Amino acid sequence: MFLDLWEIKNKINMHPRDVFENPENYIDFLTSKDFEGQYFDHKEVINPYNSNKVRETKDSICKCISAFANRNHDGGLVVLGINDKTQAVTGLDHLTEEQLNSVLNIDLRNYVSETKSFQIQDKTIYLLYIHYTNNAICETNKANPEAWKRVGKQSLPLSEADKQQILRDKRVLDWEGLILDAEYHEKDVDTKVAESFKSGYLQDSDYDLDITEILKQLGAIREQKGILYWTNAGILFFDKSPQRMIAAATIRFVRYDYLLAKNPHLSLTSYDKEFSYCPLPVLLQKVRDFLQKTPFLRTFTVRNADGHLQDFGQFPYEAVEEGIVNAMVHRDYAMNTTIWCKLYLDAFVVENAGRILQADKQVPDSFTLENYELSPNPRNRNLFKWISLLRNTEGKPFVKGISEGTRKMKDLMKKMYFPYPSYNTNGITKMTLTSVPTPEQFEELIQKHKSHSK
């Protein structure tokens, strides 16, 4: 039974593998103007055969294959024999076997593909399913190799920085364990962070260790030719001032006195403050103190469900904190950009470098937590583990439920009748909490909550 075009366009989990294995169910889609996108591409091989034009087509196919293999967890599908502009089925029947083999002989390394032929309108097309390359960059076999990434309908060239980022995303490059050109000295360790970490790290032990030995065990410091050096993760988490080596390990708060919904590109701020020159746990504590003890976040005094005046935060405080903690733990610190926390009259936005990573799937560029659930899959596994071992002065976890942050945010926003947290993640991850801009609208929400409670 054929899937009609409406079904196909609205099918949430359209997988290129499904189309490859069952093309008879997707004929309308294969010849649709809506076919090309993040996972699909048309290519025509002109008739009559022209070697110069075929070379251009092969170059275009090469870019698609590299782009699909480098960025798409679900791979990608290249369909040969359909015009990419008119969607006319031109087929490949005009090619000799030698010519067809020449078209399919793509000069790339680090990719796996599968090929099959299929008949549409009595013409033969070829389907190329490209597998995701999970441990390398799919690139050309040149002295200076070229590679591409898929962004919507486009296959864009990768810069050297792009390649490094993709290798970090695929965890081929271990950024956390890289040794820095910074010698380790115990006097540079933040004493409070060290003691807080030790209480969690050694809580079930019958023996004591000094902080240097603990850092060796963690891989936070490593020895080379008899000298101890910091690793990236080690200096970021334990050094008094990691910004001397990782300059962008900072967080910045700005406030805009206008609606994000109406003026998303204005840049005039009414408040601007940056936190730096301290290790990650201290940075987090400074952020907590700042949010709790300063009037940065707005508070509304309105009548509660019982009719009494009460102060409410414009955003659930815990949701704000969870969004910031997630950004600090999951950001790509190799990218030289700070974490931005932007407060608008109707929204709170946290921006951090790096895509959201999931172990078994590719995250959409845009989604909300209403219908998309994220599983714990930290980019910086050491930082994630270490922060979970921190203890406060009472011996309790410094960060509670760190692996369930997005679920907590979702529940808190739902409870307040606010929209679910939304995400945009494509190189930079942007998390947005949306609220109402006035006390009057906030009070309307409370009355709505009251009526629903009844």
Side-chain angles (χ1 to χ4, degrees), residues 36-41 68 150-155 365 426:
E36 294 195 350
Q38 185 67 37
Y39 300 94
F40 302 97
D41 208 307
F68 288 151
R150 193 70 174 181
V151 181
K153 297 181 180 181
Q154 295 180 294
S155 296
D365 286 352
N426 189 0

Side-chain angles (χ1 to χ4, degrees), residues 209-304:
L209 293 173
D210 63 41
I211 189 60
T212 298
E213 185 58 35
I214 289 175
L215 296 183
K216 285 181 182 178
Q217 291 184 7
L218 296 174
I221 56 176
R222 293 169 63 184
E223 185 175 331
Q224 280 191 339
K225 297 181 180 181
I227 300 175
L228 289 173
Y229 292 90
W230 285 108
T231 62
N232 276 319
I235 199 170
L236 188 61
F237 200 89
F238 293 101
D239 190 271
K240 291 177 182 176
S241 183
Q243 289 78 14
R244 62 192 170 91
M245 298 301 297
I246 307 174
T250 60
I251 185 167
R252 189 169 179 178
F253 288 82
V254 292
R255 185 165 60 203
Y256 304 98
D257 293 332
Y258 52 80
L259 300 171
L260 173 62
K262 291 187 176 181
N263 298 291
H265 303 300
L266 293 181
S267 58
L268 184 63
T269 65
S270 61
Y271 188 93
D272 192 329
K273 183 175 181 62
E274 185 175 56
F275 294 95
S276 61
Y277 300 108
C278 57
L280 186 64
V282 176
L283 198 62
L284 176 55
Q285 187 57 55
K286 285 186 176 182
V287 167
R288 284 175 165 170
D289 292 342
F290 168 71
L291 292 175
Q292 291 176 346
K293 298 175 182 179
T294 69
F296 178 76
L297 295 173
R298 298 180 180 88
T299 300
F300 295 145
T301 301
V302 299
R303 295 196 179 276
N304 61 24

Side-chain angles (χ1 to χ4, degrees), residues 15-34:
H15 197 302
R17 181 82 197 182
D18 295 336
V19 183
F20 175 77
E21 292 184 345
N22 304 289
E24 64 278 3
N25 293 338
Y26 296 91
I27 292 175
D28 287 343
F29 180 54
L30 287 167
T31 57
S32 164
K33 62 181 178 61
D34 297 303

Side-chain angles (χ1 to χ4, degrees), residues 5-21:
L5 194 54
W6 186 91
E7 286 180 288
I8 290 167
K9 288 176 66 176
N10 291 278
K11 193 173 177 64
I12 295 174
N13 295 316
M14 172 69 75
H15 197 302
R17 181 82 197 182
D18 295 336
V19 183
F20 175 77
E21 292 184 345

Side-chain angles (χ1 to χ4, degrees), residues 353-388:
R355 288 180 63 87
I356 295 175
L357 303 180
Q358 293 287 270
D360 57 348
K361 58 188 175 183
Q362 179 157 328
V363 178
D365 286 352
S366 299
F367 64 94
T368 74
L369 294 182
E370 179 179 10
N371 49 23
Y372 194 92
E373 185 171 340
L374 294 171
S375 302
N377 186 47
R379 174 187 296 276
N380 305 299
R381 295 179 177 179
N382 286 338
L383 297 180
F384 186 82
K385 181 179 179 180
W386 296 348
I387 204 166
S388 67

